[in-house]
Amino acid sequence: MDVQIRRAAGDRGIELAVRLRDGAQSPVTAGARRLAGRDPNQAIRAALREAKQLLETGEVLHPDSPPTTQTTVVNKPLQMATRQGRREGRL
């Protein structure tokens, strides 16, 4: 893993960048690992997001629970997308 720390442009603090060193994966393998929640890039993004929140607010913020907790045919795709997005910090 490569980690870089440098001053941000315009004297706006610091930038923290992280990149895995291992070679390129096939798209099929990378996609399967991502869907299974075992993609190391997801873990890196989550760790960077949590570190940023901890530095800025002093705590790690978590999104509110969905308004309904009952799984239905209509809300199942939204629940899956939300669950995936929470791991990466985006939808």
Side-chain angles (χ1 to χ4, degrees):
M1 181 178 337
D2 291 326
V3 178
Q4 295 180 353
I5 300 173
R6 59 184 172 265
R7 290 191 180 274
D11 198 30
R12 292 183 160 193
I14 63 167
E15 290 181 0
L16 178 62
V18 180
R19 183 175 54 176
L20 291 177
R21 285 188 199 164
D22 43 325
Q25 299 176 8
S26 73
V28 174
T29 304
R33 290 180 75 166
R34 184 169 185 207
L35 287 174
R38 291 181 289 154
D39 182 11
N41 290 321
Q42 287 176 325
I44 289 171
R45 281 191 293 272
L48 286 172
R49 184 178 60 255
E50 289 177 4
K52 180 179 185 214
Q53 290 177 2
L54 194 58
L55 290 169
E56 290 179 350
T57 66
E59 63 182 316
V60 177
L61 306 172
H62 296 285
D64 293 336
S65 298
T68 180
T69 57
Q70 295 179 348
T71 301
T72 65
V73 176
V74 176
N75 71 6
K76 183 69 172 177
L78 178 59
Q79 287 181 352
M80 290 173 58
T82 304
R83 187 173 29 251
Q84 180 71 20
R86 286 183 182 160
R87 284 191 290 227
E88 297 189 36
R90 60 184 175 186
L91 284 177

